Every structure is written in C-alpha cells, then in structure tokens.
Amino acid sequence: MALMRKIPSKFVLGVLGSLFIVSCQINQDDQTNEESIREPTPTLFGTAIKTPSSSEVPSTPLPKKIPDVCVFPVFNEEIGQNDEAAVYRFNWISGEENLELETRGGPITIQGPVNLASGIRRLLIVHRYPSPEILSVSSNLKSDSNILYDTNTDSAEIRTKDGDILSQTIYDDAGDIGNLKPALDVISVERQFAEDGGYIVRLTTSAPNDGIYETSFENIELRIGLERYAHRILDNGKIVNLKYDSDGNYNLWDGTLISQGNTITWALEEGSDVSFNVRTSTAISLVDNTAIFPTDKMDTLWKASQNGCG
C-alpha cells in the first residue's frame, strides 16, 4: 500500500544547483555541460573539463563527489536565533547500497535498499549539531523527493517534490539505556501515511523481547499528541494494550497492533497532524524516552528552503 498524507504546500522546490549565502553563486570552476560529462556512478555530479594549455592530451578527469548545495537560514524558536541549514542534491544509482555525501557538517553516508530506484534526491538539513554519520533511507524516497533532517532532534521527514509528507522518523541512539533490557532500547520510530488519511507507527528496538521479566510489567508507550497507546507485557507473559485519553483515563484498546521480532506497529486513524514520541519503562523505572517529533520545525525548514533556495 502506498503510504502518503496530502498536505497543501504553498511553495515548489526550485532548482538546487548553486550555493546560497544571501543569493546563490555559480561555482566558477564547473561551468560545463553537466549532461555531456556525467557518468553512472553514485557520487558523480559533473566532471570538470579544463582546456589544456598545451598540445598534450589531457589525462582522464576524475569524478567529483561534491553535490549541488544551497545554504539558507532557518529560525530556531527555542534559542531565538537562526540555525544554518542547507539543501544538497545527490544522484542515487539503482543497485548501489550507499553513497557518501559531503556536507558542511561533515560526510554523511546515505544507505538505501538495492531496489531503490535511480534518480535525483535532495537532503535538507539543519547544521546546528553534528550531522549523522549514516542516514538510512527506505524505498519511500522516490525520485525527486526530499529528506528533511533536524540535527536538534535526530528526526527526519520524507516529502514529495510538492511538499506532501510521506513519512516521519525519530532516531534514537542504541545502547543508551546502560545494562537494562535491549528489548526496551528504542532505536527508531517511523510514521508512514496512507492515501486514505490513516497511518502506521513502527517502533524498532535493539533486540526482540527475551521473555524474561524481572518486574511486574514492561511498558512500551506511544504518544500521539495528548493521547497514549500502551503495549504492556505482564510478568506472566500476558499482553495488555491500553489507550489513555488526554485526561489520563484509560481503557483496553482493541485496535490493530502487530508485534514481530524487534518491531511493534500500530495502525491508527486519528492524530496524523500532531507530534509523536515513544518511551519505554518497567514497573520501577523509565528505560528509554525519544525526542518528540518536531512537526512544526519540519514545516518551518521546508518553507525556509523554498524561500531561500526557490
């Protein structure tokens, strides 16, 4: 099922072929016909050809890995100042598994499935904090689509070229829970949207549950706005799924939930336009707690990229 949520966009992403500080300036070293020199490699964005100063035959030029880039400011309400953000355009070649992208925050290795179709994609990233060393993408990243990444919260969003949101992901460090149970160690939470307005939320932990319980229960809780969905495992192995309303009242929840290996997936209808996060706990302590997905920040980043690089 194709998963997508349609939200109106007032802007269309323009050509991202140049570097912006106040306005974009063309790289004077690469004023060549890009199409005539491009080779089918995952990191090639045009090979500079220089006219030889002598009659000697020039050596074969090496491919460059520097992507098209546009830098622009995006306002950070938490600190009351602008963060530096940038748009990077890269060409993915089908059959490859990774591509190294040079950014102003350092190199990023983009990893994708071998069935990810060839084509141009764009990475919109806030550079306030260090960039991720590895950024894994799914087959949802269609050609001409965009990855938005906020280093403040280690969160990503995939949008079409017209700004429609396809998925949203919160990344969380593995191994940040000490010696506690790996089955409660969250490493990612992804929300994927469907065309009919519904969505799923898929939580991934470091390891499947081992069936050993040292407290009266273990809890994996998804928060959607002011509501909560709890997947609770009692010490006898019995599973109870609960829903809490905004006032903290709860009832048994009989909606669709799939637990398989180290993933738990909820299928939901309401709350697709609000932020979400996940936390895990036992009967005696909090174990892991992800950042809240920055819905408003992603929208601000998208609009700022249209204004600064449109």
Short mmCIF file of all heavy atoms in Angstrom, two decimals, residues 199-230:
data_model
loop_
_atom_site.label_atom_id
_atom_site.label_comp_id
_atom_site.label_asym_id
_atom_site.label_seq_id
_atom_site.Cartn_x
_atom_site.Cartn_y
_atom_site.Cartn_z
N TYR A 199 -2.63 6.01 9.07
CA TYR A 199 -1.17 5.91 9.12
C TYR A 199 -0.78 4.76 10.04
O TYR A 199 -1.60 4.23 10.81
CB TYR A 199 -0.54 7.20 9.61
CG TYR A 199 -0.94 7.63 11.02
CD1 TYR A 199 -0.11 7.35 12.11
CD2 TYR A 199 -2.12 8.32 11.27
CE1 TYR A 199 -0.44 7.74 13.39
CE2 TYR A 199 -2.47 8.72 12.54
CZ TYR A 199 -1.64 8.42 13.60
OH TYR A 199 -1.98 8.80 14.87
N ILE A 200 0.47 4.33 9.93
CA ILE A 200 1.02 3.37 10.87
C ILE A 200 2.22 3.99 11.57
O ILE A 200 2.88 4.88 11.03
CB ILE A 200 1.44 2.05 10.17
CG1 ILE A 200 2.59 2.30 9.18
CG2 ILE A 200 0.26 1.39 9.49
CD1 ILE A 200 3.21 1.02 8.64
N VAL A 201 2.50 3.51 12.77
CA VAL A 201 3.70 3.90 13.51
C VAL A 201 4.45 2.62 13.82
O VAL A 201 3.91 1.71 14.46
CB VAL A 201 3.37 4.65 14.81
CG1 VAL A 201 4.66 4.96 15.57
CG2 VAL A 201 2.61 5.94 14.51
N ARG A 202 5.70 2.54 13.35
CA ARG A 202 6.52 1.35 13.57
C ARG A 202 7.70 1.67 14.49
O ARG A 202 8.54 2.51 14.17
CB ARG A 202 7.03 0.78 12.25
CG ARG A 202 7.92 -0.48 12.43
CD ARG A 202 8.33 -1.09 11.11
NE ARG A 202 7.19 -1.65 10.41
CZ ARG A 202 6.68 -1.17 9.28
NH1 ARG A 202 7.22 -0.10 8.70
NH2 ARG A 202 5.65 -1.74 8.71
N LEU A 203 7.74 1.00 15.63
CA LEU A 203 8.79 1.16 16.61
C LEU A 203 9.79 0.02 16.45
O LEU A 203 9.41 -1.14 16.33
CB LEU A 203 8.20 1.13 18.01
CG LEU A 203 9.14 0.85 19.18
CD1 LEU A 203 9.98 2.07 19.48
CD2 LEU A 203 8.36 0.43 20.41
N THR A 204 11.09 0.35 16.44
CA THR A 204 12.13 -0.66 16.35
C THR A 204 13.03 -0.56 17.58
O THR A 204 13.49 0.53 17.94
CB THR A 204 12.97 -0.48 15.08
OG1 THR A 204 12.11 -0.55 13.93
CG2 THR A 204 14.01 -1.59 14.96
N THR A 205 13.29 -1.70 18.21
CA THR A 205 14.16 -1.75 19.38
C THR A 205 15.44 -2.50 19.03
O THR A 205 15.57 -3.11 17.97
CB THR A 205 13.46 -2.44 20.56
OG1 THR A 205 13.10 -3.78 20.20
CG2 THR A 205 12.20 -1.68 20.96
N SER A 206 16.40 -2.48 19.96
CA SER A 206 17.70 -3.11 19.70
C SER A 206 17.61 -4.62 19.59
O SER A 206 18.44 -5.24 18.93
CB SER A 206 18.69 -2.74 20.80
OG SER A 206 19.04 -1.37 20.73
N ALA A 207 16.62 -5.23 20.24
CA ALA A 207 16.51 -6.69 20.24
C ALA A 207 15.07 -7.10 20.52
O ALA A 207 14.31 -6.33 21.12
CB ALA A 207 17.44 -7.29 21.29
N PRO A 208 14.67 -8.31 20.09
CA PRO A 208 13.35 -8.82 20.45
C PRO A 208 13.26 -9.07 21.94
O PRO A 208 14.28 -9.20 22.64
CB PRO A 208 13.25 -10.13 19.65
CG PRO A 208 14.32 -10.05 18.62
CD PRO A 208 15.41 -9.22 19.21
N ASN A 209 12.05 -9.20 22.44
CA ASN A 209 11.86 -9.49 23.86
C ASN A 209 12.29 -10.93 24.15
O ASN A 209 11.95 -11.85 23.41
CB ASN A 209 10.39 -9.29 24.25
CG ASN A 209 10.25 -9.04 25.73
OD1 ASN A 209 10.74 -9.80 26.55
ND2 ASN A 209 9.56 -7.95 26.07
N ASP A 210 13.05 -11.10 25.22
CA ASP A 210 13.57 -12.43 25.55
C ASP A 210 12.64 -13.25 26.43
O ASP A 210 12.95 -14.41 26.78
CB ASP A 210 14.94 -12.31 26.23
CG ASP A 210 14.90 -11.45 27.49
OD1 ASP A 210 13.79 -11.11 27.95
OD2 ASP A 210 15.98 -11.12 28.02
N GLY A 211 11.51 -12.68 26.83
CA GLY A 211 10.55 -13.42 27.65
C GLY A 211 10.92 -13.53 29.11
O GLY A 211 10.26 -14.24 29.87
N ILE A 212 11.96 -12.81 29.53
CA ILE A 212 12.37 -12.81 30.93
C ILE A 212 11.95 -11.47 31.55
O ILE A 212 12.34 -10.40 31.06
CB ILE A 212 13.89 -13.00 31.07
CG1 ILE A 212 14.30 -14.34 30.45
CG2 ILE A 212 14.31 -12.93 32.53
CD1 ILE A 212 15.80 -14.55 30.40
N TYR A 213 11.15 -11.53 32.61
CA TYR A 213 10.61 -10.31 33.21
C TYR A 213 11.01 -10.24 34.69
O TYR A 213 10.72 -11.15 35.46
CB TYR A 213 9.09 -10.29 33.07
CG TYR A 213 8.65 -10.51 31.64
CD1 TYR A 213 8.16 -11.76 31.24
CD2 TYR A 213 8.77 -9.51 30.70
CE1 TYR A 213 7.78 -11.98 29.92
CE2 TYR A 213 8.39 -9.72 29.37
CZ TYR A 213 7.90 -10.96 29.00
OH TYR A 213 7.55 -11.18 27.68
N GLU A 214 11.69 -9.18 35.05
CA GLU A 214 12.20 -9.03 36.42
C GLU A 214 11.33 -8.09 37.25
O GLU A 214 11.58 -7.93 38.44
CB GLU A 214 13.64 -8.53 36.37
CG GLU A 214 14.60 -9.51 35.68
CD GLU A 214 16.03 -9.01 35.65
OE1 GLU A 214 16.23 -7.84 36.06
OE2 GLU A 214 16.91 -9.78 35.24
N THR A 215 10.36 -7.44 36.62
CA THR A 215 9.40 -6.62 37.35
C THR A 215 7.99 -7.06 36.96
O THR A 215 7.82 -7.91 36.08
CB THR A 215 9.58 -5.12 37.03
OG1 THR A 215 9.32 -4.91 35.63
CG2 THR A 215 11.01 -4.67 37.33
N SER A 216 7.00 -6.46 37.58
CA SER A 216 5.62 -6.92 37.36
C SER A 216 5.11 -6.63 35.95
O SER A 216 4.19 -7.29 35.48
CB SER A 216 4.68 -6.28 38.39
OG SER A 216 4.74 -4.86 38.29
N PHE A 217 5.74 -5.66 35.25
CA PHE A 217 5.37 -5.43 33.85
C PHE A 217 6.45 -4.61 33.15
O PHE A 217 7.27 -3.96 33.78
CB PHE A 217 4.01 -4.72 33.73
CG PHE A 217 4.00 -3.29 34.21
CD1 PHE A 217 4.39 -2.25 33.36
CD2 PHE A 217 3.58 -2.98 35.50
CE1 PHE A 217 4.38 -0.93 33.80
CE2 PHE A 217 3.57 -1.67 35.94
CZ PHE A 217 3.96 -0.64 35.09
N GLU A 218 6.42 -4.68 31.82
CA GLU A 218 7.22 -3.82 30.95
C GLU A 218 6.26 -3.06 30.04
O GLU A 218 5.24 -3.62 29.60
CB GLU A 218 8.19 -4.65 30.11
CG GLU A 218 9.24 -5.35 30.95
CD GLU A 218 10.14 -6.26 30.13
OE1 GLU A 218 9.90 -6.40 28.90
OE2 GLU A 218 11.06 -6.84 30.71
N ASN A 219 6.59 -1.82 29.76
CA ASN A 219 5.66 -0.94 29.06
C ASN A 219 6.34 -0.27 27.87
O ASN A 219 7.44 0.28 28.01
CB ASN A 219 5.15 0.14 30.02
CG ASN A 219 3.77 0.64 29.64
OD1 ASN A 219 2.88 -0.16 29.42
ND2 ASN A 219 3.60 1.94 29.59
N ILE A 220 5.71 -0.33 26.71
CA ILE A 220 6.14 0.44 25.53
C ILE A 220 4.98 1.35 25.16
O ILE A 220 3.90 0.87 24.82
CB ILE A 220 6.52 -0.48 24.36
CG1 ILE A 220 7.69 -1.37 24.75
CG2 ILE A 220 6.85 0.34 23.12
CD1 ILE A 220 8.11 -2.36 23.69
N GLU A 221 5.23 2.64 25.24
CA GLU A 221 4.13 3.61 25.14
C GLU A 221 4.36 4.58 23.99
O GLU A 221 5.39 5.24 23.91
CB GLU A 221 4.02 4.37 26.47
CG GLU A 221 2.86 5.34 26.54
CD GLU A 221 2.77 5.99 27.91
OE1 GLU A 221 2.12 5.40 28.80
OE2 GLU A 221 3.37 7.06 28.08
N LEU A 222 3.38 4.67 23.12
CA LEU A 222 3.37 5.61 22.00
C LEU A 222 2.50 6.80 22.37
O LEU A 222 1.34 6.62 22.76
CB LEU A 222 2.84 4.93 20.74
CG LEU A 222 2.49 5.84 19.56
CD1 LEU A 222 3.74 6.51 18.99
CD2 LEU A 222 1.75 5.05 18.48
N ARG A 223 3.06 8.01 22.20
CA ARG A 223 2.29 9.22 22.47
C ARG A 223 1.97 9.91 21.15
O ARG A 223 2.87 10.21 20.37
CB ARG A 223 3.08 10.18 23.37
CG ARG A 223 3.33 9.66 24.76
CD ARG A 223 4.03 10.71 25.61
NE ARG A 223 4.16 10.30 27.00
CZ ARG A 223 4.61 11.07 27.98
NH1 ARG A 223 4.99 12.32 27.70
NH2 ARG A 223 4.68 10.62 29.21
N ILE A 224 0.70 10.16 20.95
CA ILE A 224 0.22 10.92 19.78
C ILE A 224 -0.49 12.15 20.32
O ILE A 224 -1.64 12.07 20.78
CB ILE A 224 -0.74 10.10 18.90
CG1 ILE A 224 -0.09 8.80 18.46
CG2 ILE A 224 -1.20 10.92 17.71
CD1 ILE A 224 1.00 8.96 17.44
N GLY A 225 0.19 13.29 20.28
CA GLY A 225 -0.41 14.48 20.88
C GLY A 225 -0.58 14.27 22.38
O GLY A 225 0.37 13.96 23.10
N LEU A 226 -1.83 14.37 22.87
CA LEU A 226 -2.13 14.21 24.29
C LEU A 226 -2.64 12.82 24.61
O LEU A 226 -2.95 12.52 25.78
CB LEU A 226 -3.15 15.26 24.73
CG LEU A 226 -2.71 16.72 24.60
CD1 LEU A 226 -3.84 17.66 25.01
CD2 LEU A 226 -1.47 16.99 25.46
N GLU A 227 -2.74 11.95 23.62
CA GLU A 227 -3.21 10.58 23.84
C GLU A 227 -2.04 9.61 23.85
O GLU A 227 -0.99 9.88 23.26
CB GLU A 227 -4.23 10.18 22.77
CG GLU A 227 -5.51 11.01 22.81
CD GLU A 227 -6.55 10.54 21.81
OE1 GLU A 227 -6.15 9.93 20.79
OE2 GLU A 227 -7.74 10.78 22.05
N ARG A 228 -2.24 8.47 24.52
CA ARG A 228 -1.16 7.49 24.64
C ARG A 228 -1.69 6.09 24.34
O ARG A 228 -2.83 5.76 24.69
CB ARG A 228 -0.57 7.51 26.05
CG ARG A 228 0.13 8.81 26.41
CD ARG A 228 0.62 8.75 27.85
NE ARG A 228 -0.48 8.83 28.80
CZ ARG A 228 -0.43 8.38 30.06
NH1 ARG A 228 0.67 7.79 30.51
NH2 ARG A 228 -1.46 8.51 30.86
N TYR A 229 -0.85 5.29 23.70
CA TYR A 229 -1.17 3.90 23.42
C TYR A 229 -0.08 3.04 24.07
O TYR A 229 1.09 3.14 23.71
CB TYR A 229 -1.21 3.63 21.92
CG TYR A 229 -2.31 4.41 21.21
CD1 TYR A 229 -2.10 5.73 20.82
CD2 TYR A 229 -3.54 3.83 20.96
CE1 TYR A 229 -3.10 6.44 20.17
CE2 TYR A 229 -4.55 4.53 20.31
CZ TYR A 229 -4.31 5.84 19.93
OH TYR A 229 -5.31 6.56 19.29
N ALA A 230 -0.47 2.22 25.05
CA ALA A 230 0.50 1.44 25.82
C ALA A 230 0.42 -0.04 25.43
O ALA A 230 -0.66 -0.63 25.41
CB ALA A 230 0.24 1.61 27.31
#
